[in-house]
Amino acid sequence: MSAGNDLRILWQGRHLDAVARGRWEFVRRRGSSGVVGIVPITDDGRLVLVEQFRPPIARPSIELPAGLVGDSPDLQGESLIVAARRELHEETGYEARRMTFLGEAYSSPGLSDELVTLMLAGGLSKTGDGGGDDTEEITVHEVALGEVYDYLARRFQAGAAIDFKIYAGLYLAEHAPRT
């Protein structure tokens, strides 16, 4: 089946466009050049996660720190690593001495053309409060690596959503080449 170049805009919002290619409808983000997700692991073996309410699912979601790349005029042309460092500090209050590329994949290829790049953050130091920018209300959680899967299962049973990128990020971090 040919992808074709017959892209049509069906609807434009402030942050998203609904588009069609052939008979297939999907959404794409406006005003960013990508998405970066960070797998921050402290020197003492804790995974740093964030929690925030997500309106599309009407409940809190446990996630990796993540964000858009180059999503404002003053950030256009920003690199993935710069965006990862910015988002990590903004959401968690941590800075990383090391930022390592883990991999990239499409978040939901039947719904969106969004490509997510995952980065491993190491050598963390707490230099701020985190909590997100003025549009976000983020709670930071630090969970021992050996307890992450049980923690996520308990939080899911209690009604929180779990972002699947956590599992992908942990797998890639465990299998990343050591430099």
Side-chain angles (χ1 to χ4, degrees):
M1 177 177 215
S2 171
N5 290 325
D6 60 338
L7 191 69
R8 298 179 324 279
I9 296 175
L10 305 173
W11 172 84
Q12 288 185 305
R14 197 168 93 205
H15 302 290
L16 296 173
D17 291 340
V19 296
R21 179 172 286 129
R23 293 181 292 167
W24 197 272
E25 297 173 348
F26 61 99
V27 295
R28 65 178 182 189
R29 278 194 198 278
R30 299 176 73 189
S32 78
S33 59
V35 175
V36 65
I38 305 102
V39 183
I41 299 177
T42 64
D43 290 343
D44 63 348
R46 290 174 287 129
L47 178 65
V48 181
L49 297 169
V50 296
E51 178 178 352
Q52 58 187 315
F53 183 82
R54 294 296 193 175
I57 57 175
R59 61 183 172 156
S61 179
I62 309 295
E63 307 170 358
L64 294 173
L68 300 174
V69 179
D71 61 325
S72 66
D74 59 319
L75 297 175
Q76 287 187 352
E78 142 182 84
S79 72
L80 289 168
I81 288 178
V82 169
R85 290 182 184 282
R86 175 179 53 77
E87 289 291 342
L88 177 64
H89 190 262
E90 184 179 280
E91 293 191 0
T92 70
Y94 275 101
E95 292 188 17
R97 285 192 310 277
R98 295 180 308 281
M99 196 66 72
T100 306
F101 173 84
L102 290 174
E104 52 192 5
Y106 289 93
S107 60
S108 183
L111 176 66
S112 173
D113 63 356
E114 179 175 83
L115 181 66
V116 178
T117 302
L118 292 175
M119 307 289 282
L120 175 63
L124 301 182
S125 57
K126 187 80 165 171
T127 61
D129 294 332
D133 64 22
D134 59 355
T135 67
E136 300 169 308
E137 290 185 32
I138 293 174
T139 302
V140 179
H141 301 283
E142 297 180 16
V143 183
L145 285 172
E147 299 172 14
V148 168
Y149 296 108
D150 288 339
Y151 170 80
L152 295 174
R154 284 193 312 273
R155 292 304 311 273
F156 183 77
Q157 289 299 320
I162 307 300
D163 188 326
F164 203 73
K165 291 185 290 294
I166 297 171
Y167 301 111
L170 285 171
Y171 177 86
L172 291 171
E174 184 177 324
H175 295 87
R178 302 294 180 225
T179 57

